[in-house]
Protein backbone atom coordinates (compact mmCIF):
# COMPACT_ATOMS: atom_id res chain seq x y z
CA UNK A 1 0.00 0.00 0.00
CA UNK A 2 2.76 2.44 0.96
CA UNK A 3 4.69 1.58 -2.22
CA UNK A 4 1.67 2.51 -4.35
CA UNK A 5 1.43 5.80 -2.47
CA UNK A 6 5.10 6.44 -3.16
CA UNK A 7 4.48 6.02 -6.87
CA UNK A 8 1.70 8.60 -6.69
CA UNK A 9 4.02 11.04 -4.93
CA UNK A 10 7.01 10.53 -7.19
CA UNK A 11 5.28 10.18 -10.56
CA UNK A 12 7.89 9.02 -13.09
CA UNK A 13 10.86 8.84 -10.70
CA UNK A 14 12.73 5.52 -10.78
CA UNK A 15 15.67 5.81 -8.39
CA UNK A 16 15.57 3.61 -5.29
CA UNK A 17 16.83 4.47 -1.78
CA UNK A 18 18.90 2.08 0.28
CA UNK A 19 16.98 3.00 3.48
CA UNK A 20 19.84 2.39 5.90
CA UNK A 21 19.36 5.44 8.15
CA UNK A 22 17.65 8.82 8.25
CA UNK A 23 20.72 11.03 8.06
CA UNK A 24 22.30 9.27 5.03
CA UNK A 25 19.58 7.55 3.02
CA UNK A 26 16.54 9.63 3.93
CA UNK A 27 17.84 13.14 3.50
CA UNK A 28 21.39 12.77 2.24
CA UNK A 29 23.06 15.40 0.13
CA UNK A 30 23.37 13.04 -2.81
CA UNK A 31 20.71 10.84 -4.38
CA UNK A 32 21.30 7.18 -5.25
CA UNK A 33 20.59 5.39 -8.47
CA UNK A 34 18.63 2.14 -8.76
CA UNK A 35 21.89 0.21 -8.72
CA UNK A 36 23.11 1.88 -5.54
CA UNK A 37 25.67 4.20 -7.18
CA UNK A 38 25.86 7.80 -6.05
CA UNK A 39 25.26 10.66 -8.45
CA UNK A 40 27.41 13.73 -8.31
CA UNK A 41 25.90 16.78 -6.59
CA UNK A 42 24.99 19.71 -8.79
CA UNK A 43 27.85 22.14 -9.28
CA UNK A 44 25.69 25.19 -8.66
CA UNK A 45 22.63 24.69 -6.48
CA UNK A 46 19.47 26.71 -6.96
CA UNK A 47 16.80 27.37 -4.35
CA UNK A 48 15.15 24.00 -4.82
CA UNK A 49 18.47 22.18 -4.40
CA UNK A 50 19.17 24.29 -1.30
CA UNK A 51 15.75 23.39 0.13
CA UNK A 52 16.45 19.68 -0.39
CA UNK A 53 19.97 19.86 1.01
CA UNK A 54 20.61 17.49 3.92
CA UNK A 55 20.93 19.97 6.82
CA UNK A 56 17.86 21.92 5.73
CA UNK A 57 15.80 18.74 5.43
CA UNK A 58 16.98 17.62 8.85
CA UNK A 59 15.73 20.88 10.38
CA UNK A 60 12.45 20.59 8.49
CA UNK A 61 11.96 17.01 9.66
CA UNK A 62 12.60 18.01 13.27
CA UNK A 63 10.07 20.85 13.04
CA UNK A 64 7.39 18.64 11.50
CA UNK A 65 7.90 16.02 14.22
CA UNK A 66 7.72 18.67 16.96
CA UNK A 67 4.53 20.14 15.52
CA UNK A 68 2.93 16.67 15.37
CA UNK A 69 -0.39 17.29 13.64
CA UNK A 70 -3.05 15.04 12.18
CA UNK A 71 -2.36 12.80 9.17
CA UNK A 72 -3.43 13.83 5.68
CA UNK A 73 -5.42 11.91 3.09
CA UNK A 74 -2.86 9.08 2.98
CA UNK A 75 -3.21 8.34 6.70
CA UNK A 76 0.58 8.50 7.24
CA UNK A 77 1.28 9.83 10.73
CA UNK A 78 4.30 11.87 11.75
CA UNK A 79 5.59 8.91 13.77
CA UNK A 80 5.48 6.74 10.63
CA UNK A 81 7.23 9.35 8.48
CA UNK A 82 10.83 8.37 9.26
CA UNK A 83 10.65 4.69 8.18
CA UNK A 84 8.57 5.69 5.16
CA UNK A 85 11.23 8.20 4.11
CA UNK A 86 13.98 5.64 4.58
CA UNK A 87 12.33 3.53 1.91
CA UNK A 88 11.18 6.23 -0.51
CA UNK A 89 13.03 9.53 -0.07
CA UNK A 90 15.51 8.99 -2.92
CA UNK A 91 12.80 8.69 -5.56
CA UNK A 92 10.83 11.59 -4.02
CA UNK A 93 13.90 13.82 -4.18
CA UNK A 94 14.60 12.85 -7.78
CA UNK A 95 11.01 13.64 -8.73
CA UNK A 96 11.24 17.03 -7.02
CA UNK A 97 14.45 17.95 -8.83
CA UNK A 98 13.01 16.76 -12.15
CA UNK A 99 9.83 18.83 -11.70
CA UNK A 100 7.69 15.68 -11.74
CA UNK A 101 6.53 15.62 -8.11
CA UNK A 102 2.77 15.92 -7.63
CA UNK A 103 1.52 16.81 -4.11
CA UNK A 104 -1.39 14.90 -2.66
CA UNK A 105 -4.75 16.54 -2.09
CA UNK A 106 -5.21 18.15 1.31
CA UNK A 107 -7.70 16.76 3.81
CA UNK A 108 -10.61 19.11 4.47
CA UNK A 109 -11.29 19.93 8.12
CA UNK A 110 -13.98 22.35 9.31
CA UNK A 111 -13.34 24.29 12.53
CA UNK A 112 -16.28 26.22 14.09
CA UNK A 113 -15.70 29.97 14.32
CA UNK A 114 -16.51 31.74 17.61
CA UNK A 115 -18.78 34.21 15.80
CA UNK A 116 -20.56 31.44 13.88
CA UNK A 117 -19.82 29.63 10.66
CA UNK A 118 -16.80 27.44 10.03
CA UNK A 119 -13.16 27.93 9.11
CA UNK A 120 -11.94 25.47 6.49
CA UNK A 121 -8.50 23.99 7.00
CA UNK A 122 -6.59 21.92 4.48
CA UNK A 123 -4.33 19.36 6.18
CA UNK A 124 -1.47 18.23 3.89
CA UNK A 125 -0.03 14.76 4.27
CA UNK A 126 3.09 14.40 6.41
CA UNK A 127 5.44 14.24 3.41
CA UNK A 128 4.03 17.43 1.91
CA UNK A 129 4.30 19.17 5.27
CA UNK A 130 7.97 18.17 5.34
CA UNK A 131 8.64 19.54 1.84
CA UNK A 132 6.69 22.73 2.53
CA UNK A 133 8.63 23.26 5.75
CA UNK A 134 11.92 22.82 3.88
CA UNK A 135 10.82 25.42 1.30
CA UNK A 136 9.67 27.76 4.07
CA UNK A 137 13.09 27.65 5.73
CA UNK A 138 14.77 28.71 2.48
CA UNK A 139 12.20 31.32 1.41
CA UNK A 140 11.57 33.03 4.75
CA UNK A 141 15.08 34.57 5.01
CA UNK A 142 14.77 35.68 1.39
CA UNK A 143 11.51 37.60 1.88
CA UNK A 144 11.41 38.58 5.55
CA UNK A 145 13.94 41.46 5.37
CA UNK A 146 11.68 43.16 2.85
CA UNK A 147 8.55 42.94 5.02
CA UNK A 148 7.12 45.97 6.78
CA UNK A 149 7.93 46.84 10.38
CA UNK A 150 4.16 47.01 10.89
CA UNK A 151 3.71 43.34 9.94
CA UNK A 152 3.72 41.12 13.04
CA UNK A 153 2.26 37.78 12.05
CA UNK A 154 4.25 34.56 11.44
CA UNK A 155 7.65 36.24 11.62
CA UNK A 156 10.61 35.36 13.79
CA UNK A 157 11.00 37.75 16.72
CA UNK A 158 7.58 39.33 16.14
CA UNK A 159 4.28 38.49 17.78
CA UNK A 160 0.72 39.54 18.52
CA UNK A 161 1.69 41.29 21.78
CA UNK A 162 3.96 43.66 19.87
CA UNK A 163 1.12 44.46 17.48
CA UNK A 164 -1.31 45.18 20.32
CA UNK A 165 1.20 47.47 22.07
CA UNK A 166 1.88 49.36 18.85
CA UNK A 167 -1.87 49.84 18.33
CA UNK A 168 -2.19 51.30 21.83
CA UNK A 169 0.66 53.73 21.10
CA UNK A 170 -0.96 54.95 17.91
CA UNK A 171 -4.17 55.70 19.80
CA UNK A 172 -2.22 57.43 22.58
CA UNK A 173 -0.63 59.66 19.93
CA UNK A 174 -4.09 60.97 19.00
CA UNK A 175 -5.16 58.58 16.24
CA UNK A 176 -8.44 57.79 17.95
CA UNK A 177 -10.24 56.25 14.99
CA UNK A 178 -9.51 52.84 13.52
CA UNK A 179 -10.15 51.49 10.05
CA UNK A 180 -10.79 47.84 10.86
CA UNK A 181 -10.41 45.81 7.65
CA UNK A 182 -11.81 42.29 7.42
CA UNK A 183 -10.75 40.36 4.33
CA UNK A 184 -13.51 38.00 3.28
CA UNK A 185 -12.30 34.39 3.52
CA UNK A 186 -8.77 35.54 2.74
CA UNK A 187 -7.10 32.13 2.59
CA UNK A 188 -9.91 30.77 0.40
CA UNK A 189 -9.79 33.55 -2.21
CA UNK A 190 -6.11 34.25 -2.84
CA UNK A 191 -5.56 34.64 -6.58
CA UNK A 192 -2.81 32.21 -7.59
CA UNK A 193 -1.45 34.30 -10.46
CA UNK A 194 -1.28 37.46 -8.35
CA UNK A 195 0.43 35.60 -5.51
CA UNK A 196 2.98 33.84 -7.73
CA UNK A 197 3.81 37.12 -9.44
CA UNK A 198 4.80 38.48 -6.00
CA UNK A 199 6.79 35.34 -5.20
CA UNK A 200 8.50 35.59 -8.59
CA UNK A 201 9.92 39.03 -7.74
CA UNK A 202 12.58 37.31 -5.63
CA UNK A 203 12.37 33.65 -6.62
CA UNK A 204 13.78 32.94 -10.08
CA UNK A 205 14.10 29.18 -9.67
CA UNK A 206 11.42 27.69 -11.97
CA UNK A 207 11.40 24.46 -9.96
CA UNK A 208 10.37 26.30 -6.79
CA UNK A 209 7.71 28.33 -8.59
CA UNK A 210 6.27 25.22 -10.22
CA UNK A 211 6.20 23.37 -6.90
CA UNK A 212 4.48 26.26 -5.10
CA UNK A 213 1.83 26.44 -7.83
CA UNK A 214 1.20 22.73 -7.51
CA UNK A 215 0.75 23.10 -3.76
CA UNK A 216 -1.69 25.94 -4.34
CA UNK A 217 -3.64 23.91 -6.88
CA UNK A 218 -3.62 20.64 -4.92
CA UNK A 219 -7.18 19.44 -4.55
CA UNK A 220 -9.14 19.27 -1.32
CA UNK A 221 -10.38 15.85 -0.26
CA UNK A 222 -13.80 15.50 1.34
CA UNK A 223 -15.72 12.27 1.63
CA UNK A 224 -13.21 10.48 -0.58
CA UNK A 225 -13.65 12.96 -3.45
CA UNK A 226 -10.95 15.50 -4.34
CA UNK A 227 -12.08 18.87 -5.72
CA UNK A 228 -9.70 21.01 -7.79
CA UNK A 229 -8.63 24.43 -6.50
CA UNK A 230 -8.38 27.46 -8.78
CA UNK A 231 -7.85 30.00 -5.97
CA UNK A 232 -6.88 30.13 -2.31
CA UNK A 233 -4.00 28.81 -0.23
CA UNK A 234 -5.30 26.23 2.24
CA UNK A 235 -4.67 26.94 5.91
CA UNK A 236 -2.86 24.10 7.59
CA UNK A 237 0.37 23.91 5.60
CA UNK A 238 3.72 25.46 6.66
CA UNK A 239 3.91 27.61 3.51
CA UNK A 240 0.53 29.35 3.81
CA UNK A 241 1.51 31.95 6.46
CA UNK A 242 4.59 33.02 4.49
CA UNK A 243 2.63 33.22 1.25
CA UNK A 244 0.01 35.40 2.94
CA UNK A 245 2.72 37.80 4.13
CA UNK A 246 4.27 37.92 0.65
CA UNK A 247 0.95 38.88 -0.91
CA UNK A 248 -0.11 41.37 1.76
CA UNK A 249 3.28 43.05 1.81
CA UNK A 250 1.96 45.06 -1.14
CA UNK A 251 -0.80 46.36 1.14
CA UNK A 252 1.76 47.26 3.81
CA UNK A 253 3.92 49.19 1.38
CA UNK A 254 0.93 51.05 -0.01
CA UNK A 255 -0.12 52.10 3.50
CA UNK A 256 3.43 53.23 4.26
CA UNK A 257 3.59 55.17 1.00
CA UNK A 258 0.47 57.06 2.09
CA UNK A 259 1.96 57.77 5.52
CA UNK A 260 -0.53 55.73 7.55
CA UNK A 261 0.03 54.14 10.95
CA UNK A 262 -1.20 50.56 11.02
CA UNK A 263 -0.74 47.10 12.51
CA UNK A 264 -1.17 43.92 10.50
CA UNK A 265 -1.13 40.37 11.80
CA UNK A 266 -1.71 37.95 8.89
CA UNK A 267 -4.99 39.09 7.31
CA UNK A 268 -6.06 41.12 10.36
CA UNK A 269 -5.25 44.78 9.65
CA UNK A 270 -6.13 47.94 11.60
CA UNK A 271 -5.25 51.44 10.35
CA UNK A 272 -5.24 54.30 12.88
CA UNK A 273 -6.30 57.81 11.80
CA UNK A 274 -7.27 61.08 13.46
CA UNK A 275 -10.82 61.61 12.22
CA UNK A 276 -13.89 59.72 11.11
CA UNK A 277 -13.87 61.46 7.72
CA UNK A 278 -10.27 60.41 7.12
CA UNK A 279 -11.16 56.88 8.14
CA UNK A 280 -14.01 56.71 5.65
CA UNK A 281 -11.75 57.95 2.87
CA UNK A 282 -9.05 55.42 3.78
CA UNK A 283 -11.59 52.59 3.95
CA UNK A 284 -12.85 53.41 0.46
CA UNK A 285 -9.44 53.81 -1.17
CA UNK A 286 -7.80 50.79 0.47
CA UNK A 287 -10.80 48.60 -0.36
CA UNK A 288 -10.38 49.60 -4.01
CA UNK A 289 -6.64 48.86 -3.83
CA UNK A 290 -7.21 45.40 -2.38
CA UNK A 291 -9.88 44.47 -4.89
CA UNK A 292 -8.17 45.87 -7.97
CA UNK A 293 -4.49 45.21 -7.29
CA UNK A 294 -4.55 42.09 -5.13
CA UNK A 295 -7.91 40.63 -6.19
CA UNK A 296 -9.05 40.38 -2.57
CA UNK A 297 -12.50 41.22 -1.25
CA UNK A 298 -13.20 43.27 1.85
CA UNK A 299 -16.11 42.05 3.97
CA UNK A 300 -18.16 45.23 4.32
CA UNK A 301 -20.39 43.73 7.01
CA UNK A 302 -17.46 43.03 9.35
CA UNK A 303 -15.26 46.00 8.46
CA UNK A 304 -15.85 49.42 10.00
CA UNK A 305 -14.51 52.85 10.82
CA UNK A 306 -14.97 53.15 14.56
CA UNK A 307 -13.40 54.07 17.87
CA UNK A 308 -10.69 51.61 18.92
CA UNK A 309 -12.50 50.87 22.18
CA UNK A 310 -15.54 49.80 20.16
CA UNK A 311 -13.55 47.22 18.20
CA UNK A 312 -11.22 44.33 19.01
CA UNK A 313 -7.77 43.59 17.63
CA UNK A 314 -6.14 40.20 18.20
CA UNK A 315 -8.50 39.51 21.09
CA UNK A 316 -7.79 42.81 22.86
CA UNK A 317 -9.64 46.10 23.05
CA UNK A 318 -8.70 49.28 24.91
CA UNK A 319 -10.20 51.98 27.10
CA UNK A 320 -11.24 55.46 25.93
CA UNK A 321 -8.69 57.32 28.09
CA UNK A 322 -6.21 59.77 26.58
CA UNK A 323 -3.56 57.21 27.40
CA UNK A 324 -5.62 54.09 26.72
CA UNK A 325 -5.27 50.90 28.70
CA UNK A 326 -5.39 47.48 27.10
CA UNK A 327 -8.27 45.25 28.09
CA UNK A 328 -9.63 41.88 27.10
CA UNK A 329 -12.32 42.13 24.43
CA UNK A 330 -15.76 40.87 25.42
CA UNK A 331 -15.67 38.35 22.55
CA UNK A 332 -12.50 36.84 24.03
CA UNK A 333 -14.21 36.41 27.37
CA UNK A 334 -17.17 34.77 25.67
CA UNK A 335 -14.92 32.27 23.87
CA UNK A 336 -13.26 31.31 27.15
CA UNK A 337 -16.56 30.82 28.97
CA UNK A 338 -17.89 28.66 26.13
CA UNK A 339 -14.77 26.50 26.27
CA UNK A 340 -15.12 26.14 30.05
CA UNK A 341 -18.80 25.22 29.75
CA UNK A 342 -17.98 22.44 27.30
CA UNK A 343 -15.20 21.15 29.56
CA UNK A 344 -17.53 21.10 32.56
CA UNK A 345 -20.21 19.27 30.62
CA UNK A 346 -17.68 16.56 29.81
CA UNK A 347 -16.51 16.53 33.42
CA UNK A 348 -19.80 15.78 35.17
CA UNK A 349 -18.70 12.22 35.87
CA UNK A 350 -15.20 13.17 37.00
CA UNK A 351 -13.86 14.08 40.40
CA UNK A 352 -13.26 17.76 41.15
CA UNK A 353 -9.51 17.14 41.05
CA UNK A 354 -9.78 15.70 37.54
CA UNK A 355 -11.97 18.58 36.37
CA UNK A 356 -9.50 21.15 37.70
CA UNK A 357 -6.53 19.36 36.13
CA UNK A 358 -8.35 19.50 32.79
CA UNK A 359 -9.19 23.20 33.12
CA UNK A 360 -5.79 24.45 34.29
CA UNK A 361 -3.91 24.20 30.95
CA UNK A 362 -6.70 26.18 29.27
CA UNK A 363 -6.64 28.86 31.97
CA UNK A 364 -2.84 29.14 31.97
CA UNK A 365 -2.66 29.43 28.19
CA UNK A 366 -5.45 32.00 28.06
CA UNK A 367 -3.88 34.11 30.77
CA UNK A 368 -0.43 33.89 29.19
CA UNK A 369 -1.85 35.43 26.02
CA UNK A 370 -3.91 38.08 27.81
CA UNK A 371 -1.25 39.02 30.35
CA UNK A 372 -1.03 42.49 28.77
CA UNK A 373 -4.46 43.47 30.06
CA UNK A 374 -4.44 46.52 32.29
CA UNK A 375 -8.10 46.23 33.32
CA UNK A 376 -8.44 43.52 35.96
CA UNK A 377 -12.18 43.57 36.72
CA UNK A 378 -12.89 40.99 34.05
CA UNK A 379 -10.34 38.60 35.53
CA UNK A 380 -11.90 38.89 38.97
CA UNK A 381 -15.37 38.34 37.51
CA UNK A 382 -14.20 35.29 35.53
CA UNK A 383 -12.57 33.78 38.61
CA UNK A 384 -15.79 34.20 40.58
CA UNK A 385 -17.91 32.84 37.73
CA UNK A 386 -15.68 29.77 37.37
CA UNK A 387 -15.82 28.96 41.09
CA UNK A 388 -19.60 29.37 40.90
CA UNK A 389 -19.69 26.87 38.01
CA UNK A 390 -17.54 24.39 39.94
CA UNK A 391 -19.71 24.64 43.06
CA UNK A 392 -22.72 24.06 40.80
CA UNK A 393 -21.01 20.98 39.39
CA UNK A 394 -20.49 19.65 42.91
CA UNK A 395 -24.14 20.21 43.75
CA UNK A 396 -25.20 18.32 40.61
CA UNK A 397 -22.87 15.44 41.38
CA UNK A 398 -24.25 15.02 44.88
CA UNK A 399 -27.79 14.50 43.47
CA UNK A 400 -29.61 13.24 46.62
CA UNK A 401 -30.71 15.34 49.58
CA UNK A 402 -28.94 13.09 52.07
CA UNK A 403 -25.67 13.22 50.08
CA UNK A 404 -25.82 17.01 49.89
CA UNK A 405 -26.47 17.40 53.63
CA UNK A 406 -23.74 14.90 54.54
CA UNK A 407 -21.12 16.55 52.28
CA UNK A 408 -21.96 20.03 53.60
CA UNK A 409 -21.48 18.78 57.15
CA UNK A 410 -18.16 17.19 56.17
CA UNK A 411 -16.73 20.59 55.24
CA UNK A 412 -17.91 22.33 58.40
CA UNK A 413 -21.53 23.43 57.84
CA UNK A 414 -23.60 22.80 60.99
CA UNK A 415 -26.27 20.10 60.87
CA UNK A 416 -29.33 22.37 60.83
CA UNK A 417 -27.98 24.64 58.11
CA UNK A 418 -26.78 21.66 56.06
CA UNK A 419 -30.23 20.03 56.05
CA UNK A 420 -31.98 23.35 55.41
CA UNK A 421 -29.73 23.97 52.42
CA UNK A 422 -30.06 20.43 51.09
CA UNK A 423 -33.86 20.60 51.14
CA UNK A 424 -34.36 24.16 49.85
CA UNK A 425 -35.75 22.96 46.52
CA UNK A 426 -33.65 25.40 44.51
CA UNK A 427 -31.75 24.46 41.35
CA UNK A 428 -28.02 23.69 41.03
CA UNK A 429 -27.03 27.14 39.72
CA UNK A 430 -28.77 28.94 42.58
CA UNK A 431 -27.18 26.67 45.15
CA UNK A 432 -23.77 26.99 43.48
CA UNK A 433 -23.87 30.70 44.27
CA UNK A 434 -25.61 30.49 47.64
CA UNK A 435 -23.92 31.35 50.93
CA UNK A 436 -23.76 27.75 52.16
CA UNK A 437 -21.72 26.62 49.14
CA UNK A 438 -19.54 29.75 49.24
CA UNK A 439 -18.88 29.12 52.93
CA UNK A 440 -18.21 25.40 52.39
CA UNK A 441 -15.96 25.92 49.33
CA UNK A 442 -14.29 29.35 49.49
CA UNK A 443 -11.51 30.52 47.18
CA UNK A 444 -8.89 29.11 49.55
CA UNK A 445 -10.38 25.63 49.08
CA UNK A 446 -10.00 25.90 45.29
CA UNK A 447 -6.47 27.25 45.75
CA UNK A 448 -5.59 24.15 47.75
CA UNK A 449 -7.09 22.01 44.99
CA UNK A 450 -4.70 23.72 42.56
CA UNK A 451 -7.25 25.67 40.48
CA UNK A 452 -5.53 28.39 38.45
CA UNK A 453 -6.75 31.87 39.41
CA UNK A 454 -6.67 34.27 36.45
CA UNK A 455 -6.27 37.29 38.69
CA UNK A 456 -3.49 35.76 40.77
CA UNK A 457 -1.70 34.55 37.62
CA UNK A 458 -1.91 38.04 36.13
CA UNK A 459 -0.40 39.51 39.30
CA UNK A 460 2.50 37.07 39.05
CA UNK A 461 3.06 38.06 35.42
CA UNK A 462 3.12 41.73 36.44
CA UNK A 463 5.54 41.11 39.30
CA UNK A 464 8.16 39.55 37.01
CA UNK A 465 7.73 41.91 34.06
Amino acid sequence: MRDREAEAYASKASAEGDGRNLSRAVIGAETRTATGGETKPEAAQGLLEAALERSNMMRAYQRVVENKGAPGVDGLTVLELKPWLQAHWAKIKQALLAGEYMPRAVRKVEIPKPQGGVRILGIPCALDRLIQQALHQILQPLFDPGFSESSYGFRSGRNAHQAVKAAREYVAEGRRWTVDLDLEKFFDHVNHDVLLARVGRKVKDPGVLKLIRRYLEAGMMEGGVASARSEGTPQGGPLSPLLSNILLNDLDRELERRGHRFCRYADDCNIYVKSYRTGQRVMQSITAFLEQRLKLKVNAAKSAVARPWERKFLGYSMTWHRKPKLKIASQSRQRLTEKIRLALQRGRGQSMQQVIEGLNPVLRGWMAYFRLTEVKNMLEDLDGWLRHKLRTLLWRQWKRVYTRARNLMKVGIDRVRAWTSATNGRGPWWNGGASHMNHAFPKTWFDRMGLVSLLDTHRRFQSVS
Side-chain angles (χ1 to χ4, degrees), residues 34 74 147 158 203 211 224 252 255 345 361 389 402 437 442 455:
D74 61 352
F147 288 157
R158 305 179 74 78
V203 175
L211 186 55
D252 299 342
L255 292 171
Q345 286 174 8
K389 292 288 289 184
Y402 173 78
M437 288 295 283
L455 185 59

Side-chain angles (χ1 to χ4, degrees), residues 3 65 96 104 107 134 167 191 199 248 271 288 292 298 385 424 436 441:
D3 289 332
V65 171
L96 285 163
R104 297 293 295 267
R107 181 167 63 86
N191 183 286
V199 175
L248 291 175
I271 308 164
Q292 294 168 16
V298 173
W385 174 83
N424 61 31
H436 55 272
F441 302 99

Side-chain angles (χ1 to χ4, degrees), residues 85-106:
L85 287 170
Q86 288 175 331
H88 303 297
W89 174 247
K91 65 168 67 175
I92 299 299
K93 182 175 180 179
Q94 182 176 346
L96 285 163
L97 293 173
E100 298 170 346
Y101 178 81
M102 297 298 295
R104 297 293 295 267
V106 297

Side-chain angles (χ1 to χ4, degrees), residues 69-73 105-109 121-125 129 220 234-237:
V73 296
V106 297
R107 181 167 63 86
K108 183 177 180 180
V109 176
L121 301 183
I123 308 300
C125 63
R129 291 207 296 275
M220 182 168 287
Q235 296 183 71

